Structure formats: C-alpha cells, structure tokens
Amino acid sequence: MNINMTLIGQTIAFAIFVWFCIKYVWPPISNALHERQKKIADGLDAASRATRDLELAQERAEQTLRESKEQASQILEQANKRSAQMIEEAREQARAEGERLMASARSEIEQEVNRAKDELRAQVSHLAILGAERVLEASVDEKAHRKLLDELAAEL
Amino acid sequence: MAAGNEVSSTYYIQHHLQNLTFGKHPENGWSLAHSAEEAREMGFWAIHLDTMGWSIAMGLLFIWIFRKAGKAATTGVPSGLQNAVEMVVEFIENLTRATFHGRNPVIAPLALTLFVWILLMNTLKIIPVDYGPELFKRLGVEYMKIVPTTDPNATLGMALGVFCLIIYYSIKVKGAGGFAKELSLTPFNHWALIPFNLVLEVIGLLVKPLGLGLRLFGNMFAGEVIFILIALLPFWAIWLLDVPWAIFHILVVTLQAFIFTTLSVVYLSAAHEHH
C-alpha cells in the first residue's frame, strides 16, 4: 500500500490506452453507429415516401381504370351505332339497285314491244298493199294511195 | 481458508493485501520484496508487478475486444459482440454529451477507456479472494493482489492522468494568463484577496484528482477487506455472507467505474469553461 513508481507506471499505461482508444477504437465504432443512424433515418424516410407514392399510384390506377372502362363502353356504343347504320345503308342500297334493275328491264321490254309493233306495222302495210294490188290487179297508183295506206298502217 | 488462531489470520489478511513489489531495497538492491517491511523500505523506487500486470492485461483486453468490434463494425444489422460494444459506446457517448459542453474529440474515447478499463479491473474482484494469492503461491510467487483498483497507486495514477489533462486543457482553452487569473481572482475578485483565492483554488484543484483516486481505491479496498474477512469464516459458512456481498459488489463495481468516468468528464468540462 505504499505510493511508489506504480503510480507513474499506471499513468503511462493510462495515457497509452487512451491514445490507442482515441486513435483506433473510437472512430470506427462511432462512425458505424452514426452511419447506421443515418441509414435508418433514411430508410424510414424512404418508407414513408414509398407509402405516399403507393397511395398516389393506387389512386392513379383507379382513375385510369375508370377512364378506360368509360372509353370502352363509349367505343362499344359507337360500334353498335355504326353497325346499325351500315346495315340500314346496305338495305337501302339493295332496294335502290333492285328498283333500278326493274326499271331498266321494264324499259327494255317496252322498247322491244315497240320495235316489234313497228316491224309488224311495216310488214302489215306492205302486205296490205301487196294484197290490195293483188285484189285490184289494176295498177293502182301507189303514189296516189300512199298516204291512205300509211294512214291505214298507222291505225294498226 | 479458516484460520485457527489470531496470528495466522493476521498473517492471512496481510498476505492477501500485500502487492508483489519489485524495487531497490537499501540492503538487497533491485529485488522482489519478501515482506511488507521490505516493500516499505524500498520507498518510491519500487513497482507493484501484480498491479501493473493485471491492469495492463485488463487494458489490453479492453483494447482487443473493442478493436475487434471496431474492425468488424458495419452499418448493417449488428450482432453479438458488436451489439454489446455499441451499447457501451452509445452509453458513453450519451454520458459525455450530457455532461461535457463543448467540442473535444478526446473526451468521449477517454471516458470509454476509463469506464471499461476500471470496470474490467474492478470485476477481477468477483474472483474469489484466495484464487490469486494461493495459485501464485503454488507457482512460487510470494504475493499476488489481482485487483489493481485496490492499489492506491493504480487509482491515483489514473487520477493523475486526468489531472494532467485538466491542467492541459485549462491552459489551452483559457491561456496561461487566463488560468492564473481564474486561480487567483475567484471566488473573490479583489487584489487583496489574491493569496486567499490562490490557496482556495489550488486546494480545490488538487482535491479533484485526489478525491477521484481515493474514492475508487477506498471503495474497492474496503470491499476487498470484507471479502478477506468473510473468507476467514469456516468454509461451510462463507457463502452465506460471500454471495450477498459479491452480488452487492456487482453494483459497486459498475457504480465506481461510472462515478470515476463521470467525474473525470465533469472536471474536464469545467476545465474548458470560462468563469
């Protein structure tokens, strides 16, 4: 229990340990602690930000879904309308075409009838003249009776 | 160790409280002391090999553990040793932040060293009092007091270290003139009272390391003496007192380490402050 050089020795040992601690022990541990603290704070920050982002994204997704649904129904409606219209148009066209065909056929038939009538008329007049010539045997002045005959033919 | 008569129990106590002293004896020259008287006769030029050895061993243990944890320190999830070390470091960091006002990168590591080192040295006390002396006696070493903090040289040595830092920072922060002014003009700011102030302040200054060292020494030494006295009981009765005392000492060991550290930080904080 005497005070002796141990006192000095202990002070020297103390100084060396403190120096070593300052130099090699404290900095890495303290740095790691502070860095981790920062990392955790950042992580928490990021988490809360992510939650907010998620909420926003969900909202946006919902909105987009709603919009697209609306659009789809709109497109469907339009398509329905358009198809009905197309059917109506086709029907109309078909009817018009049919009428046109019928009309042209009718006019052709009429023409044919007229032509046949004309031909018949010409032949009848010729035959009538021929017959008259034969009946009369006399020379009938064709020129003199031409007008009469034509009238006759027209009456056929 | 049950003692039969008074002489052997006195011898037992004295033996357990004697340090292994190596020094310059007036007659035998540089040698190990073979008795308390010889150790006393060596005077100042002697060294307690057990105190130095065990304290340095504990210091190295501290350095080794904390350096290992420091090298492996990651910013990720800590585990095992790193967790424990970080707890201590954080505890010290909070302590210094609470008591030390100002910026000084030395204070926190200093407090850490003091706390862990003293804690480890104090903890040696939980080892039964007979183990150290008896074991080394068998090995041929006459004395072995394994708890360095029961040696006033160790505690006052550390206090001396802190005292040097107090002086150093006082002069560094306030300047030699400022420090001298603080010593001579407080608490009474009048030229006529300078001698009075000086005496008061110098005593106040010197009491700091003395109190620091003696408080730790006193607590540890008293505890050690009680342990030795308990060990004198019959062997079947020892545990009755020894166990409660040891459990109580877990508190004392930690508390004394904490007090030494906190007071050192407080004194150093005061050294940084202008009055």
Side-chain angles (χ1 to χ4, degrees):
Chain A
M1 275 230 293
N2 318 299
I3 295 295
N4 53 27
M5 276 207 316
T6 314
L7 182 81
I8 309 298
Q10 191 75 12
T11 308
I12 293 167
F14 169 67
I16 291 169
F17 286 137
V18 169
W19 169 79
F20 192 90
C21 184
I22 292 169
K23 194 101 179 153
Y24 297 108
V25 173
W26 186 266
I29 299 173
S30 181
N31 284 347
L33 274 175
H34 288 145
E35 247 167 70
R36 181 167 337 113
Q37 231 165 35
K38 202 174 153 287
K39 241 167 85 170
I40 291 172
D42 288 354
L44 288 176
D45 242 26
S48 68
R49 210 164 38 236
T51 316
R52 212 161 44 240
D53 283 358
L54 185 67
E55 261 166 40
L56 278 176
Q58 259 167 357
E59 220 167 89
R60 210 158 38 227
E62 235 165 70
Q63 201 184 336
T64 312
L65 200 67
R66 213 164 38 236
E67 271 172 20
S68 57
K69 259 187 198 156
E70 224 166 85
Q71 240 170 16
S73 72
Q74 239 172 26
I75 290 171
L76 211 64
E77 206 179 313
Q78 253 176 9
N80 275 341
K81 216 187 273 173
R82 177 115 185 82
S83 75
Q85 204 181 349
M86 270 166 79
I87 290 171
E88 198 57 41
E89 268 176 16
R91 198 175 285 152
E92 201 62 39
Q93 250 177 6
R95 194 184 304 127
E97 183 70 11
E99 265 167 25
R100 197 180 59 76
L101 280 176
M102 223 135 84
S104 85
R106 207 169 279 144
S107 77
E108 218 166 288
I109 290 166
E110 215 162 291
Q111 262 176 8
E112 208 65 31
V113 168
N114 280 347
R115 199 161 46 236
K117 266 185 190 165
D118 278 354
E119 222 165 273
L120 209 61
R121 210 173 278 144
Q123 272 180 3
V124 166
S125 74
H126 186 66
L127 274 177
I129 290 167
L130 216 63
E133 260 178 8
R134 289 278 161 81
V135 170
L136 291 175
E137 285 281 297
S139 64
V140 179
D141 188 8
E142 205 179 329
K143 274 177 196 162
H145 300 287
R146 186 77 233 169
K147 196 176 171 261
L148 190 77
L149 286 171
D150 275 351
E151 276 170 15
L152 196 71
E155 262 165 48
L156 282 170
Chain B
M1 185 178 166
N5 56 59
E6 222 168 275
V7 176
S8 75
S9 51
T10 308
Y11 167 75
Y12 175 76
I13 294 169
Q14 276 175 352
H15 176 262
H16 276 45
L17 290 177
Q18 178 58 43
N19 284 103
L20 180 65
T21 314
F22 179 81
K24 195 180 178 195
H25 193 267
E27 284 156 35
N28 305 343
W30 288 98
S31 61
L32 282 170
H34 296 294
S35 65
E37 286 74 42
E38 266 187 42
R40 204 168 304 123
E41 280 159 17
M42 282 171 178
F44 185 76
W45 294 106
I47 192 157
H48 293 159
L49 295 179
D50 45 2
T51 299
M52 286 312 295
W54 286 101
S55 65
I56 288 172
M58 289 303 112
L60 291 178
L61 183 65
F62 154 66
I63 291 290
W64 178 65
I65 291 173
F66 277 67
R67 177 69 185 146
K68 201 172 136 191
K71 259 198 226 157
T74 61
T75 55
V77 182
S79 60
L81 175 71
Q82 199 192 337
N83 234 331
V85 165
E86 277 177 7
M87 245 171 76
V88 179
V89 169
E90 226 162 23
F91 168 69
I92 294 293
E93 209 167 40
N94 290 336
L95 173 79
T96 41
R97 201 172 299 139
T99 42
F100 187 81
H101 310 290
R103 291 227 132 268
N104 192 337
V106 170
I107 301 302
L110 175 87
L112 178 70
T113 311
L114 277 174
F115 180 70
V116 182
W117 194 24
I118 294 172
L119 188 69
L120 286 171
M121 289 194 287
N122 288 354
T123 307
L124 287 173
K125 205 162 152 196
I126 304 298
I127 297 172
V129 281
D130 277 343
Y131 281 22
E134 290 300 321
L135 182 73
F136 278 88
K137 207 175 181 180
R138 303 256 155 104
L139 294 172
V141 181
E142 214 165 337
Y143 300 105
M144 182 52 63
K145 207 167 107 186
I146 61 171
V147 189
T149 41
T150 56
D151 182 348
N153 288 296
T155 59
L156 287 172
M158 288 186 290
L160 181 64
V162 174
F163 181 67
C164 292
L165 284 173
I166 290 173
I167 300 292
Y168 172 72
Y169 282 118
S170 288
I171 292 173
K172 192 185 170 194
V173 173
K174 300 160 194 162
F179 186 42
K181 212 187 256 173
E182 188 186 296
L183 287 180
S184 51
L185 292 176
T186 51
F188 305 109
N189 195 358
H190 190 275
W191 63 267
L193 286 166
I194 283 178
F196 179 72
N197 287 337
L198 213 53
V199 170
L200 211 64
E201 285 290 308
V202 168
I203 288 175
L205 197 64
L206 291 176
V207 155
K208 284 177 183 179
L210 217 59
L212 211 53
L214 290 180
R215 180 181 300 105
L216 179 58
F217 160 70
N219 274 282
M220 291 299 116
F221 186 75
E224 182 84 349
V225 170
I226 304 266
F227 268 122
I228 294 169
L229 292 177
I230 290 171
L232 286 169
L233 292 170
F235 78 94
W236 48 266
I238 290 176
W239 68 272
L240 269 172
L241 290 173
D242 197 68
V243 170
W245 189 240
I247 290 171
F248 174 61
H249 254 271
I250 294 174
L251 175 70
V252 174
V253 155
T254 323
L255 194 64
Q256 287 306 320
F258 177 71
I259 289 172
F260 195 104
T261 310
T262 311
L263 283 180
S264 300
V265 174
V266 168
Y267 291 156
L268 285 168
S269 179
H272 281 71
E273 271 160 23
H274 293 269
H275 289 282

